Amino acid sequence: MARDPGRVLIFDTTLRDGEQSPGASLNLEEKLAIAQQLARLGVDIIEAGFPFASPGDFNAVQRIAETVGTADGPVICGLARAAAGDIKACADAVAPAANRRIHTFIATSDIHLEHKLRKSRAEVLAITAEMVAYARSLVDDVEFSCEDAGRSDPAFMYQVIEAAIKAGATTVNIPDTVGYATPAEFGELIAGINAHVPNIDQAVISVHGHNDLGLAVANFLEAVKNGARQLECTINGIGERAGNASLEELVMALHVRRSYYNPFLGRPVDSSEPLTGVRTEEITKTSRLVSNLTGMAVQPNKAIVGANAFAHESGIHQDGVLKNRLTYEIIDARTVGLADNRISLGKLSGRSAFRARLEELGYQLEREDLDDAFARFKELADRKREISDRDLEAIVSEQVQQADEARFSLKSVQVSCGTGLQPTATITLTTADGAELTEAAIGTGPVDAVCQALNRLAQVPNELVEFSVKSVTEGIDAMGEVTIRLRADGVLYSGHAADTDIVVAAAQAFVNALNRLIAGGRSQPLHPQKGPLPVVGDLPLAGRPRV
Ligand code: KIV
Ligand code: ZN
């Protein structure tokens, strides 16, 4: 392939497809923190969002393009349906990035053509050529996706891909949108494209896939063997329904099994050159950040980033690992940055040491947020002797979560509970205009009482669908992290908080979720993949190219 980049490009879509996970919506500060960490992780391309969805989404993509899209940084990409308004908004949003990309897509399966787009194959072919050419008139780097490629007629798809490349697409993406393919089939699909699309040597082949059958990573690895050189994936595998192919699993499979994959990239078996540009030591930190900010917990047995992925419970395994870790371990925990949980600060540490360590961990807080986070750190240091990086991350991710959307802030929470007592909570909230509101409620337990009191104060109907607590670090003085998910009008909203007192953490997490619900209820962004395309002819510019 003339456009073979010589290694596998990692295209991260945590901020676009990942954010489409129910309840995972992120505010601007959170998106910026994740984008900055993705740049440190070394991904090649960040899909920062769907700019046409709402002014907030546009602004987030633009800010990421400004701050993370430096000349030596990743390509900043935005998603656009194959419609002129989407493409123009996308071009404007990614414009500040030194390296920018428009990713436009249209479905190619008959089932989508008939029931979603209500368009003929000829119409889809014409729209593809026209919209890719339009995108290419705005940026040099254009990616085109055949949505639902996994269920499309290959012969028709070859024609669409050929037209997209002819119109200027530099990457062609093959999504298994519904997670239906098996590895052998997906590999054949990529081989077929390589064999039957005459101009395929002018574009990078990319893959995108959902995990409905748990096969996304396996499908991608088969695609690499057949010529795919860009993998679209998310941190912790989050995304629509069962999620996307997980970045950490793909990167570590290509790292650990390098000698198996080397020949498929034309390298000697024993070449030690990395197959991706990812800095694997940043994986654990990135996983924790995404989990904290999206409120999507990582299952303990999840490969690479699950709490048990490097834990050796059974005596036989522990004994073997102590004698020689190769007996039961294929990855050294340090390779993914797991052992790197420094005891960094203590009671006497000052503000500048605190800020410096946060910066090393990848958090850059504005002055006011830094003051609040430092106050929380001091409070914690009074209760906990040693403050580790994990504790700092818990404090700061909460700070980032509260930024710019706090309608209510938690002023105080008091509970009384125990044997023979009716659990009672008294809560005081401060509103955005400074008023203080207090309510008390009884519940089946202290957390239930807290939630009841908060609901009386906020007066926004919701249903609590998830409440989970886990400890940030080991030890009796560890902080507890609480994640709460609320449902309102069928939409999920999550809240996350950490404190050494789990009732306080629960109250704060509930307030964070309520604030998101109130902000989200005001405007639901447009979903890129649901519904027909906007009417053709919506292009706001005169003189658009016709092909
Ligand atoms: O799953 C999918 O098909 C997508 C496309 C928009 C690439 O997310
Ligand atoms: Zn997708």
Side-chain angles (χ1 to χ4, degrees):
M1 257 192 339
R3 284 193 48 92
D4 188 336
R7 66 181 166 91
V8 177
L9 300 176
I10 298 295
F11 175 114
D12 181 277
T13 183
T14 305
L15 293 172
R16 199 278 296 169
D17 209 316
E19 210 216 2
Q20 288 174 212
S21 314
S25 67
L26 297 160
N27 68 28
L28 176 64
E29 297 299 321
E30 292 167 336
K31 287 181 184 175
L32 281 170
I34 291 177
Q36 269 149 356
Q37 180 55 30
L38 289 172
R40 273 187 294 275
L41 180 66
V43 306
D44 299 284
I45 302 113
I46 295 178
E47 186 164 52
F50 170 41
F52 194 74
S54 71
D57 287 76
F58 179 94
N59 187 33
V61 176
Q62 196 175 45
R63 286 290 306 281
I64 291 170
E66 274 161 20
T67 52
V68 185
T70 55
D72 56 353
V75 174
I76 306 299
C77 170
L79 183 70
R81 295 168 298 179
D86 282 44
I87 292 172
K88 177 71 173 82
C90 188
D92 291 345
V94 297
N99 305 301
R100 48 193 173 268
R101 175 181 293 187
I102 294 175
H103 174 194
T104 186
F105 74 99
I106 192 164
T108 47
S109 68
D110 288 335
I111 191 162
H112 275 229
L113 262 61
E114 188 182 337
H115 300 286
K116 182 174 101 162
L117 298 179
R118 301 209 173 89
K119 297 213 180 293
S120 67
R121 288 184 174 192
E123 283 173 308
V124 165
L125 205 52
I127 293 172
T128 300
E130 183 173 10
M131 290 301 131
V132 170
Y134 176 49
R136 189 60 204 266
S137 73
L138 303 173
V139 295
D140 291 338
D141 184 350
V142 173
E143 172 170 333
F144 170 75
S145 288
C146 305
E147 191 191 11
D148 205 17
R151 292 187 301 173
S152 299
D153 169 9
F156 173 56
M157 204 170 61
Y158 300 153
Q159 287 176 27
V160 176
I161 294 173
E162 185 183 352
I165 296 174
K166 192 163 162 230
T170 42
T171 299
V172 287
N173 183 41
I174 312 302
D176 181 17
T177 303
V178 292
Y180 183 71
T182 65
E185 283 169 347
F186 204 57
E188 273 167 34
L189 188 66
I190 304 304
I193 290 167
N194 258 322
H196 294 107
V197 177
N199 52 2
I200 195 66
D201 60 338
Q202 293 166 37
V204 172
I205 300 182
S206 165
V207 287
H208 177 108
H210 287 265
N211 212 21
D212 300 66
L213 295 175
L215 294 173
V217 168
N219 287 346
F220 278 27
L221 293 172
E222 215 47 37
V224 168
K225 286 163 64 179
N226 286 282
R229 291 294 176 267
Q230 176 181 286
L231 307 181
E232 299 201 355
C233 44
T234 60
I235 302 296
N236 302 336
I238 64 171
E240 284 276 351
R241 307 182 307 281
N244 286 75
S246 127
L247 179 147
E248 57 280 2
E249 292 176 21
L250 288 165
V251 166
M252 290 314 291
L254 292 170
H255 178 81
V256 173
R257 301 305 310 276
R258 194 164 40 214
S259 55
Y260 174 76
Y261 289 102
N262 273 336
F264 295 102
L265 278 92
R267 301 176 178 193
V269 173
D270 56 0
S271 164
S272 59
E273 209 188 310
L275 285 169
T276 72
V278 166
R279 290 176 204 102
T280 59
E281 326 76 71
E282 294 287 328
I283 284 179
T284 302
K285 202 203 297 174
T286 317
S287 161
R288 280 207 302 260
L289 178 72
V290 169
S291 172
N292 284 345
L293 296 184
T294 57
M296 301 210 39
V298 174
Q299 77 198 54
N301 59 328
K302 163 92 175 58
I304 316 297
V305 290
N308 295 349
F310 295 90
H312 295 282
E313 283 290 340
S314 95
I316 299 175
H317 284 204
Q318 284 176 358
D319 181 56
V321 169
L322 286 177
K323 286 180 180 135
N324 181 340
R325 64 168 200 87
L326 293 179
T327 48
Y328 286 101
E329 253 182 40
I330 58 164
I331 305 170
D332 181 336
R334 283 169 300 190
T335 318
V336 294
L338 189 62
D340 193 16
N341 182 30
R342 280 178 27 196
I343 304 296
S344 46
L345 300 172
K347 209 176 152 121
L348 300 176
S349 307
R351 202 170 177 281
S352 45
F354 176 72
R355 190 183 49 205
R357 186 66 196 136
L358 284 188
E359 279 175 9
E360 275 167 41
L361 288 172
Y363 292 95
Q364 267 151 352
L365 298 187
E366 299 295 333
R367 197 193 154 84
E368 221 173 278
D369 288 336
L370 186 72
D371 291 345
D372 289 349
F374 185 61
R376 287 213 56 207
F377 157 71
K378 281 289 183 188
E379 247 172 61
L380 181 64
D382 277 340
R383 283 181 274 158
K384 198 170 183 289
R385 211 161 40 89
E386 291 171 326
I387 309 283
S388 71
D389 288 348
R390 301 278 307 260
D391 294 317
L392 290 182
E393 282 168 5
I395 293 177
V396 184
S397 64
E398 193 182 317
Q399 196 68 42
V400 172
Q401 179 162 123
Q402 287 169 35
D404 85 13
E405 58 183 31
R407 159 101 179 253
F408 294 117
S409 1
L410 184 67
K411 172 134 201 273
S412 67
V413 49
Q414 286 175 343
V415 289
S416 70
C417 60
T419 39
L421 284 178
Q422 205 153 31
T424 311
T426 308
I427 307 256
T428 302
L429 291 182
T430 312
T431 62
D433 48 17
E436 279 187 12
L437 312 170
T438 301
E439 262 295 353
I442 53 173
T444 52
V447 173
D448 183 45
V450 162
C451 299
Q452 308 264 7
L454 283 168
N455 274 332
R456 282 190 194 169
L457 287 166
Q459 300 277 326
V460 267
N462 68 77
E463 181 196 349
L464 177 69
V465 291
E466 187 188 319
F467 173 83
S468 68
V469 190
K470 72 177 188 343
S471 74
V472 175
T473 52
E474 295 78 31
I476 195 74
D477 60 353
M479 285 208 284
E481 273 181 312
V482 174
T483 300
I484 275 181
R485 267 134 88 81
L486 305 177
R487 184 165 30 222
D489 292 329
V491 182
L492 287 172
Y493 300 91
S494 67
H496 178 90
D499 199 284
T500 47
D501 182 328
I502 58 157
V503 177
V504 174
Q508 185 62 64
F510 202 95
V511 171
N512 291 346
L514 281 173
N515 281 331
R516 280 192 167 174
L517 191 168
I518 295 163
R522 287 197 287 260
S523 64
Q524 272 305 311
L526 185 71
H527 191 291
Q529 290 169 267
K530 300 203 171 129
L533 279 176
V535 203
V536 183
D538 65 342
L539 182 50
L541 303 179
R544 66 183 154 133
R546 293 231 154 246
V547 281

